[in-house]
Amino acid sequence: MNSKVEISQLIRDNIRDLVPYSSARNEYSGSASIFLDANENPYNNPFNRYPDPGQLELKRHIAGMKGQQVENLFLGNGSDEGIDLLFRVLCEPREDNAVIVDPTYGMYGVCAMINDIKHRRVLLNKDFSLDPGRVISEVDNCTKLIFLCSPNNPTSNSYDREAMIRILDAVNCMVVVDEAYIDFSKEEGMLSLVPEKKNLVVLQTLSKAWGLAGIRLGMVFAHPELITYLSRVKYPYNINSLSLEAAFKQMRIPGKKKEWIDTIHRERDRLVIALDSLAFVEKVYPSDANFLLVRMNNPLEVYSFLKERGIIVRDRSTVPLCEGCLRITVGTPGENRKLCNALIDYGKTPKTDR
Ligand SMILES: *Cc1c(COP(=O)(O)O)cnc(C)c1O
């Protein structure tokens, strides 16, 4: 266990000293029959009322489901809010830095730039595995955050657990493991280590396996002290009533999620076989997520051909280590069939007619 890490010492001074905004619902959150404290319109129930700023009920539910304590959980307007708040709470603009392992999700770098935080980029190995030594060697006294994404977007592989633990134990800063795709993974993930690793932050989301990208609900699991700082800095009512309601509704039928994951796994395996059989496909990378990274000799041409057929995939061909690659999300069986048919047609089209 990394006992060196003192969270309060990693927090920016202005955030440590912050007296947060106290909303009406913060100051009184019990049950009463008449609420005249928040200047709400008394009509148009239930949406006339502000939502619970602490989201206690949903947090209890999610924490219970994940085997975590409520104190370890922060809910954000998507994982993106969690990522942004981590920068704002921990990193002094132009002074502190973050280490980002490339190629990965673009938001870490963008968020760093928006907040005027320097970031250092470490490249994965050619086989997309993580080199913990290289990550650790980029860390200095001003490093506050390291971002690891496992399973990683866009490479679709999970990192070695021991490699991530080596980083956690070697550094004196927060290590964020973004587990947006963990529900599709055969790995158990890092969540169970949150209670014992003080500098571990695990991000999860309802946007992928739960099928709720539209409601914008992300989870941050971390030490209670860090969670408290995130909660003090967030907008008071960051999760709106409609999102809370939709999350509860979906969680009442957890079997749906499992059913979707099973179907997506099955479809992913079928897609791998179909893509592998195409002459112009050079490599389909093994996936631990709900998408495939596919290397081919002519990605832009394939991209345009698919687009003409109304099928949009993600061009990753200019991303370091992903040269020649498209990223393809696993769709419904019907969508995947159409994709495969289009790719077969592409393979049959003489070069001059493409
Ligand atoms: C899709 C994705 C997310 C989800 O972000 P939300 O803001 O929760 O929708 C987070 N991290 C990665 C790496 C992703 O690919």
Side-chain angles (χ1 to χ4, degrees), residues 49-65:
R49 297 297 175 191
Y50 281 104
D52 173 12
Q55 302 114 12
L56 198 58
E57 205 186 337
L58 184 59
K59 275 188 188 168
R60 279 199 191 110
H61 190 88
I62 293 176
M65 194 168 63

Side-chain angles (χ1 to χ4, degrees), residues 77-81 83 104-105 108 149 151-153 178 180-181 203-208 213 216-218 291 327:
N77 186 344
S79 311
D80 295 337
E81 184 182 8
I83 294 165
T104 195
Y105 187 45
Y108 316 136
C149 181
N152 186 37
N153 174 6
D178 186 342
Y181 300 97
L203 303 180
Q204 294 189 0
T205 179
L206 299 191
S207 292
K208 305 284 155 68
R216 312 304 305 128
L217 222 151
F291 59 88
R327 192 193 71 191

Side-chain angles (χ1 to χ4, degrees), residues 309-322:
R309 301 278 185 109
I311 301 171
I312 312 301
V313 297
R314 198 86 196 268
D315 171 26
R316 300 283 83 182
S317 62
T318 57
V319 172
L321 299 186
C322 297

